[in-house]
């Protein structure tokens, strides 16, 4: 039996493909002045419907900026099922990993931020949304742009 990369043997020896997605969602309509962070409303575009596996690998790459010099931004990946949160909503879902801080050297200067996450014990045939929580890093307004998202079950 021949298996394609990213597949596994299934019932009666058929190859089963894993689910994956790569999207560039629109930039959020508003940033964050919250130190704790708010959701960016990316879950309507950043979602994955699992097929067979119980683990999901998630990557977000963004440009983060703050309106104030040395203000910075904090970011964290969240996921859940059901209706995804809208831009500016309170933190909701399950956090993946830990919150990252990136400092803006000058007002409005963006820094590339790349976040990875592994989710274990995901259920098969369930649609998961993925979003970013964004905080202002202490002062000013934090924003993200140029968002790239990938997710794959494995």
């Amino acid at each position: 039996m021949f298996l394609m990369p990213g597949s596994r043997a299934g019932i009666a020896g058929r190859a089963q493909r894993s689910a994956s997605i790569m999207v560039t969602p629109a930039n959020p309509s508003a940033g964050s002045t919250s130190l704790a962070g708010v959701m960016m409303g990316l879950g309507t575009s950043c979602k994955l419907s699992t097929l067979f596996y119980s683990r999901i690998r998630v990557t977000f790459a963004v440009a983060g900026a703050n309106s104030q010099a040395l203000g910075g931004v904090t970011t964290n990946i969240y996921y859940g099922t059901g209706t995804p949160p809208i831009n500016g909503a309170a933190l909701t879902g399950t956090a993946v990993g830990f919150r990252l801080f990136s400092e803006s050297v000058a007002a409005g200067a963006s820094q590339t931020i790349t976040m990875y996450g592994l989710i274990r014990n995901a259920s098969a045939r369930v649609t998961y949304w993925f979003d970013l929580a964004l905080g202002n890093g202490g002062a000013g307004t934090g924003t993200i742009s140029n968002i790239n998202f990938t997710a794959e079950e494995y």
Side-chain angles (χ1 to χ4, degrees), residues 43-126:
T44 55
S45 299
C46 301
K47 57 187 173 184
L48 179 74
S49 296
T50 57
L51 297 173
F52 307 106
Y53 301 101
S54 63
R55 297 176 295 180
I56 303 171
R57 182 177 313 137
V58 182
T59 305
F60 273 100
V62 303
N66 192 301
S67 62
Q68 234 181 4
L70 305 177
V73 295
T74 60
T75 54
N76 199 4
I77 299 173
Y78 280 76
Y79 75 98
T81 59
T83 304
I86 62 171
N87 181 249
L91 298 180
T92 187
T94 303
V96 178
F98 52 90
R99 188 163 57 164
L100 299 177
F101 175 75
S102 177
E103 187 173 53
S104 292
V105 186
S110 64
Q111 304 288 327
T112 300
I113 304 167
T114 304
M115 293 152 286
Y116 304 94
L118 297 176
I119 298 164
R120 298 175 190 259
N121 301 321
S123 297
R125 295 177 181 79
V126 172

